[in-house]
Amino acid sequence: MKATHRSPRLLGLCVTAAGLLSACAVPRVIPPAPVPPVVVRPPPAPAPPPANWRDMPITPGGWSWQLEGTRSVARFGLPGVASLVTLSCDRAAGQVLLARTGTGAEIPGEHIPMAITTTTGTRPLTSEPAVSQPGVVTTALRAADPILDA
């Protein structure tokens, strides 16, 4: 019986001894994991423009048409913003004015290069300073010009 009576006391003594021994143990230091170096990469270069103009992204906007005096006017662009392109038919003069946003019309007398590209080809044009306004480059085409049907 004495052994049974001492068992809880013996157990407590063993637990205390184990605690003291673990307190004397040298703690094991775990080295920190190596941090990989930060590599800064430049952003990727933009993709080159498509070789064919038909593969270019579509310009946002839409066409609108109205009569302005005696002229029939078609405009392309976003609502509430200056038109990107304007086609104006002057029947009395027998011509179509093609206007686009651009610079250079602010310099009196300067002809700005332009071009019309269609599915059948490209036609170089030059602006007409007499009919251009600031911020707009305009050229006049004969109403019967074949490029208008292309």
Side-chain angles (χ1 to χ4, degrees), residues 63-76 83-100 114 116 131-133 136-145 148:
W63 285 98
S64 63
W65 173 86
Q66 67 185 33
L67 281 173
E68 293 180 5
T70 61
R71 289 188 177 179
S72 172
V73 180
R75 299 178 190 282
F76 180 83
S83 300
L84 296 174
V85 175
T86 302
L87 294 168
S88 177
C89 177
D90 186 349
R91 275 189 113 160
Q95 65 182 6
V96 173
L97 297 176
L98 171 63
R100 66 167 176 83
M114 301 173 67
I116 294 179
V131 293
S132 295
Q133 300 171 358
V136 178
V137 181
T138 307
T139 190
L141 299 169
R142 291 178 300 107
D145 192 316
L148 296 173

Side-chain angles (χ1 to χ4, degrees), residues 4-51:
T4 326
H5 179 59
R6 291 186 188 167
S7 289
R9 191 170 167 198
L10 183 60
L11 180 61
L13 185 61
C14 288
V15 170
T16 304
L20 287 173
L21 287 175
S22 67
C24 294
V26 177
R28 185 175 142 202
V29 177
I30 301 173
V35 178
V38 177
V39 177
V40 178
R41 293 188 174 102

